[in-house]
Amino acid sequence: MRTAAAALATALLVLALAAAAAALPALTGRVVDGAGVIDAASEAALTERLAAFEARASDQIVVATLDTLDGEAIEPFANRLFRAWGLGQAGEDNGVLLLVAVGDRQMRIEVGYGLEGTLTDLHSKLIIENTLVPAFRAGDFSGGISRAVDDIITVLEGNAAELEARAERQQESESGMPWPAIVFIALWAAIFGGAIAIALLAPVFGRKVGPKRYKWLGMTVDYTGSGSGRSGARSGSSGWSSSSGGFSGGGGSSGGGGASGRW
């Protein structure tokens, strides 16, 4: 009796969770613009480009937009949609889903098992952050999606270095200087700034342990060395140191590879 009741409770829970999950749209083509944010010309060009790429490389890319996820997280929704549509080829799992939930201001690139080593999570994140987010914030959904598809194709065709180099250039232009230079400057500023601060503050906050010698922050600062005044300060023996519809999927599957983002 208890077993039957437990089975019934489990079944009801599954039904409740299924009812709470957002409904999945039908796969009607390589571009399923449920949110209506892609203009007709861009959609036609995008569909043609995706079909040509699939014919050439066999990898299958599908773009989908919708109004809302109805409260569901985009990661499980994208995975459910990918599996329901069976993107990619059975046994190859070479599908990619670009999903945009316009009302929730979220997007995700879901990658099939077979392409996770090529279109990595990092590549997906770079495409989202450097291509989709800026375009969507400017209200350019058609252009952003089109350029993101170009980026995905670029990576799948073996030119990931081009995407990475562009992302690095964009980061440098935003920061004003290359990040290695920023790290170098910050490191040296911390070292010299720390030394100066120690020399100036040890007599104020430290404990005097001898003539012109103070113990502070676990180290001994000695002002009796050669040179004039505080310029002779050094760390003592404490050892202190610092450190730094007419279309269908082929039956592929996804294990959650890819990346998500917001704008």
Side-chain angles (χ1 to χ4, degrees), residues 140-180:
D140 184 12
F141 290 96
S142 295
I145 290 172
S146 179
R147 290 189 291 274
V149 166
D150 287 342
D151 288 343
I152 292 171
I153 292 175
T154 293
V155 175
L156 294 180
E157 289 183 332
N159 300 313
E162 179 182 333
L163 175 72
E164 295 167 5
R166 182 163 20 106
E168 186 173 345
R169 289 194 301 270
Q170 183 169 339
Q171 183 182 31
E172 291 176 0
S173 66
E174 291 174 353
S175 64
M177 66 175 67
W179 68 265

